[in-house]
Amino acid sequence: FNFLGWTFKKAKSRNGKLVTYFWPSRKAMKKIMEKIRKLTNKRCPVKEKEIIKELNSVISGWVNHFKVGNSSKQFSKVRLYVERKIRKLMRHRRQRVGYGYKEYTTDFLYKELGLYHDYCLNWTKAYYGKQSSESRVRENLTHGLMRGR
């Protein structure tokens, strides 16, 4: 089922246990793709550095929201879509056709232009959630780290 931009599904894991998997919904994917498409408009007279700065803030916010869970496939789709749109934009501005995979390599996009590239998942939050912070406080209290207070 879908709820608040997430798709939830219960299925058996490799161990045979019933596990809940969750990832960004189709609607959330469409929204981020639409934002990326609007920001990388070929006809908009904005410099590439400005576009990448705006893209980085949008993508980093979206990734930080969805980095808890099973989102790696959706992250790779978004990452490849952003790379393709930036390459196409740069080729269009130089009046060339094609995507320019040889001219604008992945290293160029991430190192030279500074495109956002931290599409990492946070598994500890996915598995432990609220328990991790509460258990840390309990551990600190029981192991004497706060004895002097």
Side-chain angles (χ1 to χ4, degrees):
F1 69 95
N2 292 328
F3 182 68
L4 294 177
W6 293 90
T7 298
F8 293 89
K9 180 180 179 182
K10 275 195 169 185
K12 287 188 177 182
S13 67
R14 293 179 186 164
N15 301 342
K17 295 180 182 178
L18 197 61
V19 179
T20 303
Y21 294 104
F22 51 101
W23 58 87
S25 66
R26 285 185 184 177
K27 190 174 179 181
M29 291 294 289
K30 280 185 180 181
K31 279 187 178 182
I32 190 68
M33 299 292 191
E34 180 68 23
K35 283 183 184 179
I36 293 167
R37 190 178 63 79
K38 284 182 180 178
L39 286 173
T40 57
N41 187 358
K42 297 177 201 173
R43 293 170 184 87
C44 187
V46 181
K47 293 183 179 181
E48 288 139 2
K49 292 282 185 184
E50 300 278 330
I51 291 171
I52 290 183
K53 185 179 178 183
E54 190 71 28
L55 265 176
N56 285 346
S57 67
V58 169
I59 295 168
S60 66
W62 190 82
V63 167
N64 283 332
H65 178 72
F66 287 109
K67 73 179 174 181
V68 180
N70 312 93
S71 307
S72 59
K73 286 183 182 179
Q74 283 73 18
F75 283 176
S76 64
K77 287 179 185 178
V78 170
R79 184 180 52 81
L80 292 173
Y81 184 73
V82 169
E83 288 178 9
R84 192 176 74 211
K85 293 300 276 186
I86 291 291
R87 284 185 180 113
K88 194 70 171 171
L89 172 75
M90 294 175 74
R91 296 285 289 187
H92 183 267
R93 292 200 172 172
R94 285 151 185 83
Q95 298 176 350
R96 296 183 180 166
V97 294
Y99 287 102
Y101 287 102
K102 291 179 183 177
E103 188 176 355
Y104 304 114
T105 61
T106 305
D107 287 341
F108 176 78
L109 293 177
Y110 293 111
K111 291 179 183 174
E112 298 291 323
L113 295 178
L115 191 61
Y116 181 81
H117 66 280
D118 190 23
Y119 293 89
C120 295
L121 297 175
N122 194 348
W123 289 105
T124 57
K125 287 184 182 175
Y127 288 116
Y128 301 114
K130 294 179 185 176
Q131 178 189 354
S132 62
S133 62
E134 291 172 6
S135 64
R136 262 189 257 128
V137 171
R138 215 175 293 123
E139 280 182 71
N140 290 342
L141 291 172
T142 57
H143 292 297
L145 296 176
M146 298 182 73
R147 279 187 195 158
R149 294 185 182 181

